[in-house]
């Protein structure tokens, strides 16, 4: 049998049994032959046959067959043992054992033989492997007889140990990972970043720390990841567009292949294929790039079609290049090999191998005939690669794929390389070698290798033939797989493993393998990227292969290849060159003649013609990436902006705010603000205005909104949120969007791109801080052609805006009504209790303060003043910050007073102390340390406060309060800014410690309110002012020493605090800046006034000094504004000659004030109380009263209408006339006559050219508005007409009236178009819808009907009530309809659904008229209660109640701008109201109904009043400010009483309950129930333990004041209990009532001690004497009786009054008793004798109240005749009478405040007033000290004689308001000025002659005095 012809293909066709028989035949032959080499060949073939048998046996699963195979293996092992191959025998025994045969004995023998064989083969050389013999590769190496004879062959080749002794770091580019948004330097850096992101999970455990940290940052940054991906995509897109794709461009783009997504990869792959297919001549670098692309493809990126396409394309292009030079063909084939290698590495199944290989094989086969061995080798290599495309993944392929694939491009950032499993890989090579090679082939390779060719000159053709036979073109060989493994090891720097692989590979002697190894070693030696030692090792390895014939054989082609490689290396630069040159010299010097011939042959060739490797060039700049990064990258900029804004949000406490729809809306009508904003953003509206108090959270909300919008931002298509801090922008009214983008780093090209193609959401914050007055939407031309496409959200403080603020924000011209639909607004509401709790929890969790959440909640519950503060987010933060410093949780917190300014004081101190601590712990430079110590020594906190004050002052002085300070060191050096922001050590330290923030070169306070606080502190700092006795009298007006303010301040009776003997501070900011429009500063200063008497006196001094010196007028204007806002009233004050131009005196009290000669120019007097004030000769130019004059007619005014342009107002009169007034002058300009009887309705056409009217005569008339001519008279109705309306187009008029029909008339012809029939009663109102398609009519039949204008059909009927409808009005958009009703309600209807949306209630009688404002945000109504009301259209809350009419208001209309309304009434007047005037300040104006009782607190600092409206008010006794309203009773409260400590108030009400109130918190502590009747009296016991209450059923109850338990119910009276009183010691209580008796009870047990009888009528009052021994009683029987308390006997009966005696009171000393009677007299009785000492006469009605002064020398009495009288007890003289309040007096209480005698009066009109007794004796008088602000202008009896500068409007207003005197008219003023000028000229002429009369000097103006801006 000839075994050599058994090829692998034949073996594959054998059955299992045939393979086993073949193996046994080989074994039999091997055992018989004597030649060891032949025997070993036979053994090899035996094992190959057994391998095939084993494969078949797996499927058969036959145990007998398996044992047969195992026995064959045992026989084979024994044969090998016999041949001395112990290690090979051991491996065979293991295979037999795996098949189930016990081979332990044989295995021991094999181990021994293997050990001996390994010892014998060592021969003193050092093996490259470090493993023991038993770990050598389990594969024998067949030895030929020649080798056995020479004994030169070893199983493992040896290389000196110093060569590749260890692995090295793989070649990786030096990559620095970029920071987010940093510009990338090169594409490998980009590839590295994307590779880390893509393979982060696979690399996590082997990454270097720097890479792990980078991944942690960027892994959470979606924007940065997106940026990197976009950059890669842009690089590839740019590459595709390149016309010429050079090697550098290809190198740049292919390095991105491992990290791009599949779709992008496949697109790039297609680009490469198209490039190769497109050009006839293609470059090698294209093939190299394609190879790299394929190699780096991820699993699943390539499919079968890609392989077919690539191979076919490759074949075609290579075939076209076949005629090139050998060198070029070599390079092409080398490049093709790379592509085929890459294809071999990927696993793609299901391809037809023959189809794929056919064309490529033809090209490669043709290369076999080439004369160049290098080309032949490369073709053979390419063929081997081709044979592996495609292939089922084998072991070697899998290991190559696993080794380092996941770290492609990022190997420099990993600490451990997951390399090749070398042992497993060599096992795989063995399987390939065994499975693919026959014995004869292996033998021939070995023989050729070791015999070689003795002489090149004699080899001839045989050499190439042998080479071709050795390089297999048709069959897979192990050497290809081994070389691929070597490539993987080289790539990863595993050179020790590479050496082991090369030395131990089973194909080590194959010349093709050796060629490949040499080529790779040469590539290492030539590559400068490897370190010098590695390159020298590679050259040394080549030298060893050349010299060591025993291990590597004598193949002449290999040796020639080595020499050529070394020559190439010697020509390279670097330190390896010299080393290789020496090596070549040594090799040549030791060579024999044959070897020298090799050297000579190599020199004749050009070594560079055969490159070792074709590599893509290194990347250079500028690259594609550079170009991509340099191009316009708007999205990149936006990404950076988004990242900065999201990062800057921080972790501040944030609570979702709630809001209300309007400023005037109730806080209860709140909604989530974010939902409202989302609704706006999804609508077509353009502007959203967010209002709120300072610190309400507007900026915080907008920043959160910005973050939310950025989080949702969609790249390239989404709207861009742009937060604009308006104070940061210079002139934001001009292109603020572009300015903000420039600040964010956008270029002009990028800004232009954004403006043209993108949409924005502009979030504009701080309209008030930027001190804007412009409409930024209009001035920035938003949504206009060539303008920015944007929605705008804008924020502003509520108190910054005036009444007509919407004009500053609404888009479009205010006359374009449709544009108003694109505006929305909301007002942030204060925190709810739930929001406060949530805020506290977040704050405690975030900041970990000293207090816990429950401590804060306890403080908020118990400190009443805090409750209002914490509803403001910023004040909430301040409170939580400083509360632990201010109070102790264990203290009695309810007595603690916390004010806003106190919070800021503590906050600033706390902040500075923290800053000091932080600086102390910080490492400072020596200079800074010295500066810090100096500041500490001087007082760091005080220095910091002074710095803050000076900075705030400078900002206000130099920048007008604009809060942002931009400081540039070079530009601003020497300016005021340098004082605060220079590099001076002290300034830097203070700046760092203060509450400032910095962004670039911009500095600002952390909150705007801190700037205002600093300014207020600079105006008055309590630390800087010390109280001192007044030692010099302040000068009076113009030299007078007698004129001083009559106000006293807190302190001793004999001393007055004053800041300085020299007067007020001339350098104070009050003296150089108006703070009238800085509400936050004013608020701080108002609190200072209330807390610091010295500051109050300082402000009064400013006012006083303004009388003498005009330089103080700004300070005086500020001062009086502050005092008025602080609640200080100037009633009766001497203000003669004060200069306060521009001051705001709104809501101020100036009753009977002396304001003669005062400078009141541009002063605001809105709702000021000026009753009986003297304004003679005052300057009142441009003064503002907040009201317009009213029109007075001779007959009732039934209707009115504004013209559309607002220039005219038409009135319809009861006389049948129509009067038209000009609104610019209020002059009567037209009179239209023709109606008979009243004119009920007048309307203008929508364009204003025509008017329509109708009335009692049943006719409608059309008028020409310009000429007043009657155009048509429309007749057809039967009965009076009440409704008329023009269509929006002006072509038709609708009328309705008494005949229940609605008629539509043609304006042009006057003919009736339609008659609408359906109502069953009078039609009172008719109106067109804004679209003109519908007519609405309202009728007395209680329905509203909607009619189709075209058809006349009734489309809808709105009903649901049974009261007549008197008027209707459409909203401007037409979606709502308002109707007024006879039941006093206004109903709002949804036109589409026909449902009633809201009912507005408030009118006490029927509503006659209703009207929508032109903007649709307000509704006005008026009616039979003589009032008009303005309602918020969205919330339904009442904004204003307008009073003044004395009869039914018939019609109310808005002006065209919506800023005024006109009301016409049956009282023959038309009143014109300023809409919203006074609406920005809210005051407690008093009770709605009469005051029943007033009481002073025991301390005298508070007053309580109760009313028949059920309310209880607490008033500050000093200022009259309402501190609290106690609400809870359902009926009137007749009696109230303070506890002895003054901390509680008891109240008794008609609802049958007694309530106990905490005066600090306003909370109801307890409610006592048990009474069944109306409670008339409540009294506290003197010790505060008990409360007594009596009702109208005669029941008296005694309550435990602490527990609320009823201790005793005292039954005895048979009628109502009229009065009760405790004895001075509290042991008794007396009561009187309807049953004519007085009863004395024991307060302890409730026993009745005495029943005092004697009166003949009800007992109306009782009073204990101060000593408690007597009890006085008065009765309706006109007598007073004195009773002995002990005995119950009547001591005296005093008779004198002629009518019922109402009130009785003891004098403080107890010697007198005073009584008041219905006879109008007050009588004073001697207690001892009962004699009437005095009878005070003067009242004309019932004396309702009588009180003694605290000293007993005076009595005050009040009567129902509306007078109050002050009596001298000694003389009986009436010292003063108050008779100017037209309201009966119900109650009076007396007290002395700081030595000043005062009494408080409760009036029947609901007001409470305090009066002050001034002077003594004959000079004693009474003046008003304060009254609650009522929010209305009072000019009754105000003297305006010779007042200057009044406008015509104001003259009319003052005249109609009841002023007296005649102001100067313009002619008189001009005459006076001329006279003055003549006088001045005369004086100057006299001066020029040197003669100046002394009398004239004083008339000249002082040239040194600065002129006021108003002058």
């Amino acid at each position: 049998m000839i075994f050599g012809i058994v090829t692998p293909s034949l073996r594959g066709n054998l059955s299992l049994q045939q393979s086993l028989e073949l193996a046994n035949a080989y074994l039999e032959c091997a055992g018989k032959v004597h030649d060891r080499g032949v025997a070993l060949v036979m053994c090899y073939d035996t094992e190959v046959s057994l391998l095939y048998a084993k494969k078949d046996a797996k499927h058969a699963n036959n145990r007998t067959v398996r044992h047969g195979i195992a026995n064959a293996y045992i026989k084979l092992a024994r044969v090998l043992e016999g041949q001395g191959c112990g290690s090979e025998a051991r491996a065979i025994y293991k295979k037999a054992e795996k098949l189930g045969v016990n081979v332990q004995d044989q295995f021991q023998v094999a181990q021994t033989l293997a050990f001996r064989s390994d010892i014998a083969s060592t021969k003193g050389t050092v093996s490259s492997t470090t493993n023991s013999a038993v770990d050598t590769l389990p594969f024998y190496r067949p030895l030929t007889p020649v080798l056995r004879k020479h004994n030169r062959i070893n199983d493992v080749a040896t290389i000196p140990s110093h060569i590749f002794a260890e692995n090295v770091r793989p070649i990786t580019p030096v990559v620095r990972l970029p920071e987010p948004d940093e510009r990338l330097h090169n594409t490998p850096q980009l590839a590295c970043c994307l590779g880390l992101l893509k393979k982060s999970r696979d690399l996590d455990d082997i990454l270097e720390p720097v890479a792990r940290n980078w991944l942690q940052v960027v892994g959470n940054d979606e924007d940065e990841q997106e940026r990197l991906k976009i950059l890669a995509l842009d690089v590839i897109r740019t590459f595709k567009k390149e016309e010429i794709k050079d090697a550098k461009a290809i190198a740049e783009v292919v390095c991105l292949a491992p990290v791009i997504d599949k779709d992008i990869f496949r697109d790039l792959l297609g680009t490469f294929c198209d490039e190769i297919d497109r050009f006839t001549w293609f470059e090698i670098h294209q093939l190299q790039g394609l190879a790299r692309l394929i190699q780096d493809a991820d699993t699943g990126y390539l499919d079968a079609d890609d392989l077919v396409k690539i191979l076919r394309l490759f074949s075609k292009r290579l075939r076209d290049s076949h005629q090139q030079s050998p060198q070029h063909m070599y390079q092409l084939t080398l490049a093709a090999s790379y592509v085929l290698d890459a294809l071999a590495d990927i696993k793609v199944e299901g391809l037809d191998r023959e189809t794929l290989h056919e064309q490529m094989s033809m090209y490669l086969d043709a290369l076999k005939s080439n004369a160049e061995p290098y080309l032949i080798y490369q073709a053979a290599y390419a063929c081997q690669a081709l044979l592996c495309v495609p292939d089922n993944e084998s072991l070697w392929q899998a290991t190559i794929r696993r080794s380092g694939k996941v770290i492609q491009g990022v190997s420099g950032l990993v600490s451990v390389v997951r390399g090749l499993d070398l042992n497993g890989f060599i096992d795989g090579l063995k399987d390939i070698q065994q499975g693919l090679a026959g014995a004869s082939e292996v033998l021939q390779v070995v023989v050729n290798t070791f015999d070689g060719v003795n002489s090149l000159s004699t080899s001839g053709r045989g050499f190439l033939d042998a080479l071709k036979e050795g390089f297999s073109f048709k069959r897979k060989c192990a050497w290809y797989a081994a070389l691929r493994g070597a490539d993987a090891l080289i790539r990863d720097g595993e050179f020790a493993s590479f050496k082991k692989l090369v030395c131990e590979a089973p194909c080590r002697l194959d010349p093709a393998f050796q060629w490949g190894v040499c080529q790779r070693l040469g590539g290492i030696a030539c590559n400068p990227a490897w370190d010098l030692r590695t390159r020298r090792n590679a050259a040394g390895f080549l030298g060893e292969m050349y010299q060591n014939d025993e291990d590597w054989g004598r193949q002449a082609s290999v040796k020639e290849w080595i020499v050529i490689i070394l020559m190439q290396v010697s020509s390279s630069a670097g330190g390896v060159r010299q080393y290789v040159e020496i090596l070549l010299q040594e090799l040549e010097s030791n060579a024999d003649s044959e070897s020298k011939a090799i050297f000579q042959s190599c020199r004749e060739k050009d070594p560079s013609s055969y490159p070792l490797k074709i590599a893509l060039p290194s990347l250079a700049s500028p690259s594609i990436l550079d170009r991509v990064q340099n191009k316009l990258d708007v999205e990149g900029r936006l990404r950076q902006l988004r990242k900065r804004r999201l990062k800057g949000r921080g972790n501040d406490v944030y609570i979702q705010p709630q809001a209300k729809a309007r400023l005037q809306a109730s806080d209860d009508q709140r909604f989530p603000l974010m939902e409202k904003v989302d609704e706006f953003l999804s609508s077509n509206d353009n502007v959203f205005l967010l209002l709120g108090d300072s610190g309400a959270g507007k900026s915080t909300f907008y920043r959160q909104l910005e973050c939310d919008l950025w989080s949702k931002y969609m790249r390239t298509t989404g709207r861009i949120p742009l937060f604009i801090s308006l104070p940061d922008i210079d002139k934001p009214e001009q292109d603020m969007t572009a300015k903000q983008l420039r600040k964010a780093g956008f270029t002009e090209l990028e800004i232009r791109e954004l403006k043209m193609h993108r949409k924005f959401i502009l979030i504009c914050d701080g309209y008030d801080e930027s001190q804007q007055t412009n409409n930024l939407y209009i001035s920035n031309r938003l949504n206009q052609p060539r303008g920015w496409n944007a929605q705008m959200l804008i924020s502003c403080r509520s108190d910054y805006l005036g009444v007509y603020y919407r004009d500053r924000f609404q888009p479009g011209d205010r006359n374009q009504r449709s544009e108003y639909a694109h505006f929305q607004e909301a007002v942030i509401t204060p925190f709810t209790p739930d929001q406060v709790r949530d805020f506290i929890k977040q704050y405690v969790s975030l900041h970990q303060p000293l207090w816990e959440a429950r401590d804060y909640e306890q403080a908020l519950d118990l400190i009443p003043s805090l409750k209002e503060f914490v509803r403001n987010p910023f004040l909430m933060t301040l409170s939580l910050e400083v509360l632990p410093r201010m109070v102790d949780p264990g203290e009695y917190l309810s007595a603690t007073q916390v004010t806003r300014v106190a919070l800021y004081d503590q906050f600033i101190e706390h902040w500075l102390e923290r800053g000091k601590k932080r600086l102390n712990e910080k490492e400072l430079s020596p200079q800074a340390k010295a500066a810090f110590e100096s500041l500490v020594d001087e007082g760091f906190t005080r220095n910091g406060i002074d710095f803050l004050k000076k900075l705030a002052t400078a900002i206000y002085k130099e920048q007008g309060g604009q809060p942002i300070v931009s400081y540039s060191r070079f530009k601003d050096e020497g300016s005021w800014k340098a004082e605060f922001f220079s590099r001076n050590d002290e300034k830097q330290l203070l700046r760092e410690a203060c509450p400032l923030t910095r962004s670039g070169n911009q500095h600002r306070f952390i909150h705007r309110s801190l700037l205002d606080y600093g300014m207020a502190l600079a105006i008055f700092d309590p630390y800087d002012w010390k109280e001192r006795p007044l030692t010099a009298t302040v000068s009076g007006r113009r030299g007078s020493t007698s004129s001083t303010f009559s106000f006293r301040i807190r302190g001793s009776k004999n001393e007055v605090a004053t800041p300085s003997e020299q007067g007020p501070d001339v350098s104070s900011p009050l003296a150089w800046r108006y703070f009238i429009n800085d509400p936050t500063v004013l608020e701080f200063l108002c609190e200072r006034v209330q807390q610091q008497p010295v500051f109050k006196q300082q402000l009064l001094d400013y006012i006083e000094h303004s009388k003498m010196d005009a330089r103080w007028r700004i300070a005086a204007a500020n001062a009086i504004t502050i005092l008025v806002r602080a609640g200080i009233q100037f009633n009766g004050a001497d203000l003669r000659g004060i200069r306060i131009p521009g001051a705001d005196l709104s809501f101020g009290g100036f009753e009977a004030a002396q304001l003669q000669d005062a400078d009141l120019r541009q002063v605001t007097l809105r709702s000021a109380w000026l009753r009986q004030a003297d304004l003679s000769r005052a300057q009142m130019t441009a003064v503002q009263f907040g009201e317009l004059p009213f029109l007075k007619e001779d007959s009732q005014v039934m209707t009115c209408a504004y013209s559309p342009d607002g220039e005219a107002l038409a009135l319809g009169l009861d006389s049948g006339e129509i009067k038209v007034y000009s609104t610019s002058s209020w002059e009567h300009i037209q009179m239209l006559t023709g109606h008979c009887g009243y004119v009920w309705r007048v309307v203008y056409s929508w364009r204003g050219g025509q008017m329509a009217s109708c009335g009692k005569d049943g006719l409608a008339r059309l008028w020409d508005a310009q000429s007043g001519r009657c155009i048509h008279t429309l007749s057809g109705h039967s009965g009076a007409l009440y409704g008329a309306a023009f269509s929006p187009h002006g072509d038709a008029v609708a009328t309705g009236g008494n005949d229940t029909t609605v008629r539509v008339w043609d304006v042009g012809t006057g003919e009736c178009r339609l008659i609408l029939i359906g109502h069953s009663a009078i039609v009172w109102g008719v109106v067109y819808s804004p679209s003109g398609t519908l007519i609405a009519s309202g009728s007395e039949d209680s329905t509203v009907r909607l009619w189709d204008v075209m058809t006349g059909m009734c489309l809808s009927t709105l009903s649901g009530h049974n009261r007549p409808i008197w008027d209707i009005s459409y909203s401007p958009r037409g979606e709502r309809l308002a109707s007024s009703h006879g039941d006093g309600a206004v109903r709002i209807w949804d036109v589409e659904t026909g449902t009633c949306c809201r009912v507005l209630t408030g009118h006490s009688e029927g509503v006659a008229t209703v009207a929508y404002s032109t903007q649709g945000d307000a509704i006005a109504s008026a009616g039979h209660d003589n009032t008009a009301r303005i309602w918020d259209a969205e919330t339904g809350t009442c904004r204003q109640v307008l009073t003044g009419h004395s009869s039914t208001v018939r019609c109310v209309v808005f002006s065209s701008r919506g800023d005024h309304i006109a009301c016409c009434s049956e009282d023959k007047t038309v009143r014109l109201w300023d809409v919203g005037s006074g609406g920005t300040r809210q005051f407690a104006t008093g009770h709605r109904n009469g005051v029943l009782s007033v009481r002073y607190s025991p301390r005298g600092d508070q007053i309580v009043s109760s009313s028949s409206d059920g309310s209880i008010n607490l008033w500050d006794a000093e200022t009259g400010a309402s501190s609290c309203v106690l609400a809870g009773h359902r009926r009137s409260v007749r009696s109230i009483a303070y506890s002895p400590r003054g901390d509680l108030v008891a109240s008794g009400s008609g609802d049958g309950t007694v309530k106990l109130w905490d005066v600090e918190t306003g909370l109801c502590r307890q409610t006592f129930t048990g009474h069944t009747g109306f409670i008339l009296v409540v009294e506290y016991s003197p010790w505060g333990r008990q409360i007594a209450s009596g009702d109208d059923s005669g029941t008296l109850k005694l309550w435990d004041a602490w527990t609320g338990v009823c201790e005793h119910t005292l039954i005895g009276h048979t009628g109502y209990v009229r009065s009760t009183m405790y004895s001075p010691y509290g042991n008794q209580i007396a009561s009187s009532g309807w049953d004519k008796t007085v009863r004395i009870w024991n307060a302890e047990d409730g026993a009745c001690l005495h029943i005092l009888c004697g009166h003949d009528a009800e007992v109306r009052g009782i009073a204990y004497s101060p000593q408690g021994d007597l009890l006085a009683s008065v009765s309706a029987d006109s007598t007073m009786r004195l009773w002995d308390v002990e005995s119950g006997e009547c001591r005296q009966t005093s008779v004198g009054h002629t009518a019922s005696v109402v009130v009785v009171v003891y004098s403080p000393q107890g010697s007198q008793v005073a009584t008041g009677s219905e006879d109008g007299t007050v009588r004073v009785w001697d207690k001892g004798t009962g004699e009437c000492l005095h009878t005070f006469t003067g009242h004309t009605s019932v004396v309702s109240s009588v009180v003694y002064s605290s000293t007993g020398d005076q009595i005050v009495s009040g009567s129902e005749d509306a007078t109050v009288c002050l009596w001298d007890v000694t003389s009986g003289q009436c010292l003063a009478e108050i008779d100017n309040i037209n309201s009966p007096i119900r109650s009076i209480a007396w007290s002395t405040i700081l030595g000043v005698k005062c009494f408080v009066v409760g009036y029947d009109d609901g007001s409470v007033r305090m009066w002050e007794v001034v002077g003594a004796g004959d000079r004693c008088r009474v003046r008003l000290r304060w009254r609650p602000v009522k929010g209305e202008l009072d000019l009754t009896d105000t003297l305006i004689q010779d007042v200057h500068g009044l406008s015509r409007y104001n003259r009319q207003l003052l005249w109609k308001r009841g002023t007296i005197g005649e102001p100067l008219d313009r002619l008189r003023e001009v005459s006076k000025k001329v006279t003055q000028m003549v006088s001045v000229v005369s004086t100057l002429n006299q001066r020029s002659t040197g003669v100046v009369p002394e009398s004239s000097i004083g008339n000249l103006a002082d040239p040194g005095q600065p002129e006021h801006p108003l002058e």
Side-chain angles (χ1 to χ4, degrees), residues 14-24 53 56 65:
L14 296 177
S15 65
L16 186 152
Q17 190 62 36
Q18 289 173 330
S19 297
L20 190 55
E21 290 175 358
L22 181 60
N24 287 327
D56 295 333
V65 174

Side-chain angles (χ1 to χ4, degrees), residues 1137-1149:
I1138 64 170
R1139 295 180 172 94
I1140 55 170
D1144 185 359
L1145 306 185
S1146 298
F1147 305 94

Side-chain angles (χ1 to χ4, degrees), residues 1157-1263:
D1157 301 301
D1159 184 354
L1160 304 180
R1161 289 169 298 165
Q1162 291 191 3
V1163 168
T1164 300
L1165 291 169
R1166 177 175 292 141
S1167 301
W1169 191 271
L1170 290 162
R1171 180 191 292 255
Q1172 296 181 347
D1174 190 345
L1175 298 173
S1176 300
R1177 300 178 303 282
Q1179 288 282 350
M1180 298 187 70
T1181 303
V1183 70
Q1184 300 177 44
F1185 291 101
E1187 294 185 14
L1188 297 175
F1190 59 86
L1191 305 177
K1192 182 69 174 175
E1193 299 296 332
D1194 295 330
S1195 60
Q1196 296 180 5
V1197 186
M1198 311 304 293
T1199 184
C1200 58
Y1202 273 103
S1203 63
D1205 58 8
E1207 297 296 324
L1209 178 69
L1211 310 180
L1213 305 179
D1214 182 59
S1215 63
E1217 298 170 332
I1218 299 173
K1219 282 189 175 182
V1220 182
Y1221 286 85
S1222 168
T1223 58
S1224 60
S1225 62
W1226 292 111
E1227 294 180 349
H1228 176 213
I1229 57 176
Q1230 271 186 339
M1231 174 76 77
L1232 310 181
T1233 59
H1235 284 287
C1236 298
Y1238 56 75
V1239 178
W1240 191 267
R1241 187 78 66 181
V1242 173
V1243 292
Y1244 275 93
S1245 66
W1246 284 45
R1247 294 185 179 180
Q1250 294 177 327
M1251 296 168 60
S1253 61
C1254 64
K1256 183 179 180 180
D1257 58 8
L1259 300 176
R1261 294 179 182 270
L1262 297 180
W1263 310 84

